Amino acid sequence: MPRRISRNPLAALLLAVLLAVLGAACSGPDRSVSSDCPDDAPTCPASGSSASPGTGPPTAAGSASGAPAAETACASPRDCGFPDAGTTGPRIALTPHETGYMAVRTDGLVIRGWDITGSLDIYANDVTVIDTKITSDNWWGINLRPGFSGLRVLHSTITAVPGKGPDNGGVDYAVSNMGGSSIEVGWCDVSVFGDALSMGQGDLHDNYVHDIVPFVNLGGEWQHTNAVISGGGNTGHLIIRHNTLLNATSVQQGASGSIGLFADNGVVRNVTVDNNWIAGGAYALYGGSTGATEIKVTDNVFSTQYHPSSGGYGVVAHWNHSGAGNVWRNNRMSDGRPIQPEPAS
């Protein structure tokens, strides 16, 4: 005998209410991030972030499907879950601070909620700059001096005033690492600087680097511009993971790379370039050249938004095919086409 279904309207209403209550109980609490982030919570991620500081590297699930972003054709960084203005920068209201050049000499200092007109020169250990904006007219926005360690720059905007910098009006570095220790830069919105993130060792993740401004430097030449640059000779590990790195500068105005790994100061070694959106430059990626070892380039999307080949001249130059530990895997154009570096000449 078929089961009877009640058609009593009141019973149906009560059943609907009961199911709604049970559904809410099973779904658990709302886990979206509050706009109020506690003062003692530097690990509180912004909405859309892929990880929190100190929890290890973000996953490669850069698309809504859960597959690595490099396996999916994308029209824009946001389409594949890469950082943009909506997932980077400060999460709280800021208070203006006209600091000018500021030397930081206090270990463990936390700078949070500042809207800085000036620059920070770090002569201290374990300094954290978080939920802050820096507008610089110096050589850098933030600089770590040799002999100091533990600098973290999180959820901040770092920009500059074009034409007001010391390099013939240009401004060179958003975050500069002069020493041999690692810097963490995460969830930051970075613009204007010629060589935005400059370091041989560090953990650069979930950042949005864009709108680099070209300039003629004090030497009378177009400054070579890069979203991320390493000069080689590094002693630690440089991790570049899940960033949007854009260099729209034309080749005629000094474009170098979106990621420039150069052997200017010694051999390039121990660099991970994983799951980034990369676009622009003369070549989108300079791979370290002869002698480079342990360079791992995996799961990246090379975008055609500025040039058909991602960079003005191509995707990658100076890739050392024979270097020990060098890996090139699952890197694709933004339309989904796989990329392989050209054989060494």
Side-chain angles (χ1 to χ4, degrees):
M1 178 181 294
R3 186 172 55 144
R4 291 184 63 203
I5 300 176
S6 171
R7 299 186 183 275
N8 183 299
L10 179 59
L13 178 60
L14 291 173
L15 179 61
V17 171
L18 178 61
L19 290 173
V21 171
L22 289 173
C26 292
S27 64
D30 180 5
R31 297 187 184 276
S32 61
V33 177
S34 168
S35 60
D36 296 323
C37 193
D39 289 343
D40 59 351
T43 62
C44 177
S47 176
S49 297
S50 65
S52 298
T55 61
T59 66
S63 65
S65 66
E71 296 178 1
T72 309
C74 302
S76 69
R78 174 170 290 199
D79 287 343
C80 265
F82 289 102
D84 62 10
T87 60
T88 56
R91 304 157 296 173
I92 61 175
L94 306 180
T95 302
H97 285 72
E98 300 279 347
T99 67
Y101 168 83
M102 178 177 172
V104 175
R105 302 181 185 276
T106 304
D107 287 350
L109 181 67
V110 176
I111 296 174
R112 188 170 193 268
W114 288 24
D115 184 349
I116 294 172
T117 302
S119 61
L120 302 177
D121 202 1
I122 310 299
Y123 292 85
N125 297 310
D126 302 320
V127 172
T128 298
V129 180
I130 184 169
D131 290 315
T132 287
K133 180 179 180 181
I134 294 176
T135 304
S136 175
D137 60 1
N138 200 347
W139 292 96
W140 55 74
I142 302 174
N143 179 54
L144 180 66
R145 291 287 177 169
F148 300 95
S149 64
L151 175 62
R152 306 171 78 200
V153 184
L154 309 173
H155 296 290
S156 294
T157 293
I158 309 168
T159 190
V161 182
K164 298 296 185 181
D167 197 356
N168 196 33
V171 283
D172 289 74
Y173 311 112
V175 182
S176 169
N177 186 355
M178 289 184 171
S181 65
S182 182
I183 293 176
E184 181 182 3
V185 184
W187 301 283
C188 289
D189 184 324
V190 180
S191 62
V192 179
F193 297 90
D195 285 318
L197 302 178
S198 175
M199 61 195 70
Q201 42 274 318
D203 181 4
L204 312 179
H205 63 85
D206 300 282
N207 301 293
Y208 174 44
V209 182
H210 60 103
D211 292 308
I212 289 173
V213 175
F215 61 93
V216 176
N217 61 27
L218 288 170
E221 300 177 339
W222 285 105
Q223 175 72 16
H224 291 174
T225 61
N226 300 271
V228 176
I229 185 170
S230 171
N234 54 301
T235 57
H237 190 187
L238 177 60
I239 301 170
I240 307 167
R241 177 171 282 127
H242 198 249
N243 304 278
T244 297
L245 304 173
L246 309 179
N247 186 357
T249 307
S250 71
V251 174
Q252 293 74 25
Q253 291 182 304
S256 184
S258 285
I259 298 177
L261 307 179
F262 302 112
D264 297 337
N265 303 316
V267 172
V268 179
R269 59 175 69 88
N270 298 329
V271 180
T272 296
V273 180
D274 177 62
N275 192 31
N276 300 279
W277 177 279
I278 304 169
Y283 287 90
L285 170 67
Y286 285 82
S289 195
T290 304
T293 59
E294 296 295 335
I295 313 300
K296 297 177 173 58
V297 182
T298 56
D299 293 313
N300 297 284
V301 176
F302 288 85
S303 170
T304 61
Q305 65 193 87
Y306 303 130
H307 307 286
S309 298
S310 191
Y313 298 136
V315 172
V316 56
H318 300 199
W319 175 254
N320 184 14
H321 290 260
S322 61
N326 290 352
V327 175
W328 181 282
R329 183 178 63 244
N330 196 32
N331 299 295
R332 297 178 179 267
M333 302 297 287
S334 51
D335 61 10
R337 289 176 291 143
I339 303 166
Q340 288 296 331
E342 294 181 4
S345 58

